[in-house]
Amino acid sequence: MAQIPSHVPAASYPSAAAVVQLLKPITWFPPMWAYACGAIASGAGLGDRWLPVALGVLLAGPLLCGTSQAVNDWFDRHVDAINEPNRVIPSGRMPGQWGLAVAIIMSILSMLVAALLGPLVFAAASIGLALAWGYSAPPFRFKQNGWIGNGVVGLSYETLPWITAATAALGSTPSSRTLLVALFYGLGAHGILTLNDFKSIKGDRQMGVRTLPVLHGAGNAARIACLIMTASQIGVIIVLAEANLITGAILVTAVLALQILCMISFLRDPEGKAVWYSAIGVGLYVSGMMAAAVSMGSQLVPSVAAG
């Protein structure tokens, strides 16, 4: 059990600031961005559906993503007590069983909000919540393997919010094109998540966490990450081109070309350039996501309005 440092006063319940720290607002951006892309790609104007879309943003970011952060910190509390003792649980700012309690309360709130948005959104949120718990909690603990864990997070943070947003905006099941593009971007996020693993190769190896850099070495892991990100975006480009969304296809191709130029430098020094490439390459990646979403939504506006 994590020990509370002597300089931290004992408390029976956490402060509001401690709860916010546990939920890590900075991590909410990816699913909220994906949600925005899904809403835009649907082609549905806000109109009288602004409330479902707003609730969906709340669901994707603070609720589901916040829940995943609370769950992860609770089940990693013993490791954090060694590696990152200043985190909110091992430091004692989240005393007793409150970390687990917050995770459970946030899970319940997530499901309540999802239920308000209809059965399709509720089903998607249920899958996301199950993956959030399975990622960190035994017996599954998907994060122990980089292939599985990164895939779970990619689908949870990109694919599911995109699909959920399109469903909430339309009030019905989104098109197969939307589902396919959302899937491609979720798969590509697998490579993005691998970039985060380069900074902790030594510690992960010692703790038995089998990230891709640990499993395959830094060089091979970098090649795998770049290949996954490139292939997923090529898939998006093909979908857009087949739908005659030429402008969108060109824009995604352009940002992919810029990423490839950066990848060349990254592959020469994976450990040294992982943070650099993550900052530049991921920014280009999510820019391409929005370009694809705007292109898809623009094509659908007339048909949605007519409906």
Side-chain angles (χ1 to χ4, degrees), residues 162-242:
W162 187 304
I163 294 172
T164 303
T167 302
L170 293 169
S172 60
T173 305
S175 68
S176 57
R177 184 186 309 151
T178 296
L179 297 175
L180 191 56
V181 169
L183 178 61
F184 276 132
Y185 276 118
L187 292 174
H190 189 293
I192 292 175
L193 290 157
T194 297
L195 298 177
N196 295 327
D197 294 329
F198 283 93
K199 65 180 182 294
S200 57
I201 295 176
K202 183 177 179 181
D204 287 338
R205 187 177 289 117
Q206 291 176 345
M207 299 302 299
V209 179
R210 300 185 300 277
T211 62
L212 264 61
V214 170
L215 286 171
H216 305 292
N220 287 332
R223 295 183 191 94
I224 292 170
C226 291
L227 179 61
I228 290 174
M229 287 185 284
T230 300
S232 68
Q233 290 173 92
I234 290 175
V236 172
I237 293 166
I238 292 172
V239 171
L240 295 177
E242 288 185 342

Side-chain angles (χ1 to χ4, degrees), residues 22 70 74-75 89 94 96-105 133:
L22 182 67
W74 173 254
F75 287 103
I89 293 178
M94 182 69 59
Q97 302 288 310
W98 271 103
L100 179 61
V102 170
I104 293 173
I105 292 169
W133 281 85

Side-chain angles (χ1 to χ4, degrees), residues 33-117:
W33 182 266
Y35 194 94
C37 288
I40 291 170
S42 72
L46 287 181
D48 60 355
R49 298 199 62 79
W50 68 269
L51 181 57
V53 172
L55 285 175
V57 172
L58 175 69
L59 178 65
L63 293 178
L64 285 175
C65 185
T67 297
S68 72
Q69 298 302 320
V71 172
N72 186 64
D73 273 22
W74 173 254
F75 287 103
D76 276 0
R77 65 194 186 281
H78 301 106
V79 175
D80 288 342
I82 299 171
N83 295 329
E84 298 180 82
N86 290 325
R87 279 199 170 191
V88 65
I89 293 178
S91 69
R93 285 171 288 143
M94 182 69 59
Q97 302 288 310
W98 271 103
L100 179 61
V102 170
I104 293 173
I105 292 169
M106 292 295 293
S107 297
I108 294 171
L109 287 176
S110 297
M111 289 296 91
L112 289 175
V113 172
L116 294 176
L117 296 172

Side-chain angles (χ1 to χ4, degrees), residues 137-161:
F140 300 107
R141 203 159 166 76
F142 299 132
K143 67 181 297 179
Q144 289 293 109
N145 183 284
W147 283 106
I148 299 173
N150 290 357
V152 165
V153 175
L155 294 175
S156 299
Y157 275 37
E158 304 295 346
T159 301
L160 281 175

Side-chain angles (χ1 to χ4, degrees), residues 16 28-29 34 93 97 100-101 108 128 174 217 227 256 268 281 288 296 298:
W28 301 348
F29 171 76
R93 285 171 288 143
Q97 302 288 310
L100 179 61
I108 294 171
L227 179 61
L256 175 57
R268 290 175 181 152
M296 294 167 67
S298 299

